[in-house]
Amino acid sequence: LMQEISTTVVEGREERYQFTWPDKKKAMLAANAPISATLRPVKADSVGKDGTPGGWDSENLYIEGDNLDVLKLLRETYLGKVKMIYIDPPYNTGNDFVYEDDFAEDTDSYMGRSGQYDEQGNQLVQNTDTNGRFHSDWCSMIYSRLMLARNLLTEDGVIFISIDENEIVNLRKICNDVFGEDQFVAQITLLCNPKGRSQDKYIATCHEYVLIYSKNM
């Protein structure tokens, strides 16, 4: 406020170019925090190479759960071994549900109030555009997961991220922070709806984006 009404430069903290938001440091801690979870096979849902139900010889692995926890578990076996990662995160349209990792309310009260939870009982919260932390919550969610994803990549590995116009600007800045601006490969424009979206207010958007970053290009 003082700077807005002043005709001279008001002294304060040293300025530098950076991209930040409330709780960015907590997002870093979330990526580094240890967990006690473990992966548990479900034989009844498994399928072998030849299609045999209950088979264990498939080279593919399908994991259900909070992707933050799963990424931490994968580090034990796949640290620095993954050649390519593709993710399709929530686009933060105002209708997405996100995990509430630090919700100060007992489970029964929460379930009665929102009724939203995943199959494992993890609490979910709708990130509406009226939320004062609308962009900050999304940035924290994606930041910790990208930090973990980068650790899984090989030195010549790459990551592809689908996104639309709601968070493309913030996502690119976050990726510059996590991977490094010099590791940016390309921003692909993907035609997904030639007719355009009928719910758009001014221009009927017909495209989304795919961001590509490398670990060490």
Side-chain angles (χ1 to χ4, degrees):
L1 176 61
M2 291 296 296
Q3 185 61 72
E4 287 289 331
I5 63 177
S6 176
T7 58
T8 60
V9 175
V10 176
E11 294 298 328
R13 290 183 299 177
E14 183 179 353
E15 296 174 329
R16 64 186 180 93
Y17 180 78
Q18 62 179 327
F19 177 60
T20 189
W21 62 90
D23 286 346
K24 182 179 181 179
K25 290 182 179 179
K26 285 187 178 181
M28 294 181 184
L29 291 176
N32 297 321
I35 60 170
S36 58
T38 185
L39 295 177
R40 185 173 57 188
V42 182
K43 188 174 182 180
D45 296 336
S46 300
V47 179
K49 283 184 178 179
D50 59 357
T52 303
W56 289 90
D57 59 346
S58 174
E59 297 178 355
N60 301 309
L61 186 64
Y62 181 83
I63 304 173
E64 291 184 352
D66 181 351
N67 49 29
L68 184 65
D69 290 343
V70 170
L71 285 167
K72 291 181 180 181
L73 292 171
L74 290 178
R75 283 186 305 188
E76 300 177 11
T77 305
Y78 296 101
L79 184 68
K81 295 181 179 179
V82 179
K83 187 77 172 179
M84 189 273 285
I85 295 175
Y86 169 75
I87 62 173
D88 185 16
Y91 285 3
N92 209 22
T93 61
N95 298 308
D96 300 312
F97 287 89
V98 297
Y99 285 101
E100 181 73 326
D101 297 322
D102 187 23
F103 203 83
E105 186 174 14
D106 66 86
T107 302
D108 291 339
S109 298
Y110 178 84
M111 297 306 179
R113 187 175 61 82
S114 72
Q116 300 296 333
Y117 50 94
D118 68 7
E119 293 179 354
Q120 285 75 43
N122 295 311
Q123 298 175 353
L124 299 174
V125 141
Q126 189 171 18
N127 192 34
T128 64
D129 54 11
T130 57
N131 173 16
R133 293 176 45 87
F134 178 62
H135 291 291
S136 295
D137 284 349
W138 187 90
C139 286
S140 293
M141 179 277 298
I142 197 68
Y143 189 76
S144 55
R145 286 156 176 82
L146 287 178
M147 288 179 64
L148 291 166
R150 183 185 183 279
N151 293 336
L152 296 179
L153 288 174
T154 58
E155 287 303 304
D156 60 346
V158 291
I159 185 169
F160 295 75
I161 312 170
S162 290
I163 200 70
D164 71 0
E165 72 280 356
N166 288 288
E167 294 291 356
I168 179 65
V169 174
N170 286 335
L171 179 60
R172 186 157 175 177
K173 290 179 180 178
I174 289 174
C175 287
N176 286 343
D177 196 335
V178 173
F179 296 96
E181 192 170 355
D182 57 340
Q183 300 305 317
F184 170 73
V185 177
Q187 178 175 309
I188 299 174
T189 301
L190 176 66
L191 179 64
C192 58
N193 184 358
K195 293 182 179 179
R197 297 187 307 221
S198 59
Q199 69 269 30
D200 287 343
K201 188 174 181 179
Y202 298 112
I203 297 176
T205 308
C206 62
H207 63 277
E208 294 177 357
Y209 304 97
V210 177
L211 280 182
I212 308 174
Y213 277 79
S214 65
K215 182 175 182 179
N216 190 16
M217 186 166 53

